[in-house]
Amino acid sequence: MDHGKSFFLVGIGGSGMLPLATILARRGAAVAGSDRALDNPALGPKFAALRRQGIALFPQDGSGITSADQTVVASAAVEATVADMVAADRVGAPRMTRPQLLAELFNASPLGIGVAGTSGKSTVTGMIAWILHATGRDPTVMNGAVMKNFVRSDAPFASALVGEGDAFVSEVDESDGSIAFYRPRVAVLNNVSLDHKTLEELRTLFGGFADRAQTAVVNVGDAESAALAAAIPPAKLLSFAVEAPADLSAEALAPEPFGIAFDLVADGSRRRVRLGVPGRHNVANALAAIGAAVAAGVDRDEAAAAIEGFAGLKRRFELVGEANGVAVLDDFGHNPDKIGATLDTLHDFPGRLLLLFQPHGYGPLKVMRRELVAMFLGKLAPGDRLVLPDPVYQGGTVAREVTSADIIADLAVAGIDARHIPDRYAAAAHLVAEANPGDRIVIMGARDDTLSLLAADMVAWLGKV
């Protein structure tokens, strides 16, 4: 790619746009962008970090798009009536979607490592990033979450790395079908379950992704992924599983409140590994990352040693603080598998759970309604409390066929202690008022950076109780 080009990113503060802007800017492109939250004081540090990279920022009013030399990059969710899109049409600026541009960068790299799956993509991407960095490979990395290992005073929002090595590691997204754009050398498939699309659609997308790779690293401990693995030629398959036979397997799991240890078993050898992130799901994530690193040429023992230094991601089972004996955690859980994995991890240790789950849209609620309800029925313990505010709403025309109130009604029929409190601050205040020493409050949801600020507010409120 000609990195002297000029790009204008619409919604530049988003979790997918911000790291892309960083990669483009550090590779020599002229980068500018707009965001409708530009004047939100709570998000000021994020925009300040972009400006420090020489990125010009504009309100989302079309004022930043002035030339046909600019390539305007936007997600598919940005409607044609948005002022920036109107301005792009007026000046004749070419357009790309965010995944199209990311895939172009990825496919141009000598060693593209794509991380796919319904759950765990950001964590696996961060783990691979740390292994490759720690073993001297100097990767470029595109992540949808802040990687704690790489946070510095001059890089507080470290969701991207820009290195000189061959590897380009990136999450790849199935929700909009853009996974079809990627041609990975190493394809990681962690799991397959309902989120944005039907299972049949997901099988086609994930299967094609794995088929295009030279090496497919697949979780055969997941039933859907295992079925896809069966169609992959054995010579290009590297399988992994937790407590099940595979090329890389994990045995003798020993959970801790904020970590977990396991035996890595491969080729008849056994090595003890301790992760600094908790939960059985993170053992699977670690196997995926070690497998990807091995497929990229890293010695297996070096990869296993390196992953013990992985510090985790922001908003992934993150302890925000504790006050009056109540811990507050911030978590990205937003689909049944992610939420269920977090609840399983928390229930390994004593303490009631007070959950605030903000759905990440009305569309996902419609797709996942039955599975969400079944998950909460199976995973909530006696005494746990669940509150759902209304879904996050980012503008545009949205069909509201299934709401938070519908999910709560389904749960109420089954006798679950759950409430719909439309305003999330009122929902948060309700949980703070309910909390007792020994309880854990968990904030869950995606597509909304301000959930972390809400979690911090709740710690402060608890301190005043």
Side-chain angles (χ1 to χ4, degrees), residues 318-323 325-331 342 346 351-357 385 427-436 438-444 454-455 457-459 461-462 465:
E318 183 178 14
L319 179 63
V320 178
E322 188 171 352
V326 179
V328 178
L329 294 97
D330 187 20
D331 191 72
T342 295
L346 287 163
R352 185 174 64 147
L353 304 183
L354 307 181
L355 309 175
L356 188 156
F357 168 48
R385 301 283 188 270
H430 170 76
L431 290 185
V432 167
E434 286 268 311
N436 296 315
D439 290 345
R440 282 89 45 88
I441 293 176
V442 189
I443 309 303
M444 291 180 156
L454 178 64
D457 286 343
M458 293 177 78
V459 175
W461 300 343
L462 286 163
V465 172

Side-chain angles (χ1 to χ4, degrees), residues 10-60:
V10 181
I12 196 168
S15 61
M17 285 292 194
L18 188 149
L20 182 57
T22 297
I23 292 170
L24 290 169
R26 293 187 185 173
R27 287 187 166 187
V31 183
S34 66
D35 202 283
R36 60 184 155 205
L38 194 59
D39 59 354
N40 184 341
L43 300 178
K46 174 189 291 188
F47 296 119
L50 286 168
R51 289 189 177 99
R52 285 196 297 272
Q53 298 178 57
I55 296 171
L57 300 180
F58 298 85
Q60 212 167 82

Side-chain angles (χ1 to χ4, degrees), residues 53-254:
Q53 298 178 57
I55 296 171
L57 300 180
F58 298 85
Q60 212 167 82
D61 60 3
S63 61
I65 300 173
T66 58
S67 169
D69 293 332
Q70 294 170 289
T71 297
V72 176
V73 183
S75 74
V78 177
E79 297 170 321
T81 54
V82 171
D84 283 344
M85 298 294 98
V86 174
D89 286 342
R90 184 176 64 249
V91 303
R95 294 195 206 169
M96 295 181 80
T97 66
R98 185 197 69 83
Q100 284 173 332
L101 177 54
L102 175 58
E104 187 173 323
L105 293 168
F106 179 92
N107 292 338
S109 69
L111 176 54
I113 303 173
V115 182
T118 309
S119 302
K121 290 188 291 291
S122 296
T123 298
V124 174
T125 299
M127 287 176 166
I128 297 170
W130 178 245
I131 293 171
L132 295 181
H133 172 83
T135 56
R137 267 62 174 187
D138 197 20
T140 293
V141 181
M142 166 82 186
N143 203 331
V146 174
M147 299 175 283
K148 292 182 181 180
N149 285 98
F150 304 107
V151 170
R152 305 186 309 270
S153 58
D154 62 338
F157 300 95
S159 52
L161 292 180
V162 183
E164 298 296 326
D166 287 346
F168 191 121
V169 188
S170 181
E171 294 187 59
V172 295
D173 190 8
E174 80 285 352
S175 66
D176 58 3
S178 62
I179 189 174
F181 299 157
Y182 295 84
R183 298 189 302 275
R185 228 178 84 196
V186 178
V188 178
L189 179 54
N190 208 12
N191 45 59
V192 181
S193 63
L194 278 175
D195 194 341
H196 299 273
K197 293 184 177 294
T198 67
L199 278 175
E200 194 54 46
E201 291 173 304
L202 293 173
R203 289 165 186 149
T204 299
L205 289 169
F206 287 132
F209 173 71
D211 187 58
R212 291 190 297 276
Q214 289 184 21
T215 304
V217 182
V218 182
N219 182 5
V220 294
D222 173 78
E224 286 288 342
S225 299
L228 293 174
I232 298 172
K236 62 182 282 184
L237 174 66
L238 178 58
S239 65
F240 68 92
V242 178
E243 297 181 320
D247 296 324
L248 298 173
S249 61
E251 298 178 358
L253 277 59

Side-chain angles (χ1 to χ4, degrees), residues 331-351:
D331 191 72
F332 192 67
H334 60 276
N335 64 37
D337 280 359
K338 286 185 171 74
I339 297 171
T342 295
L343 297 186
D344 284 344
T345 301
L346 287 163
H347 281 138
D348 278 340
F349 299 92

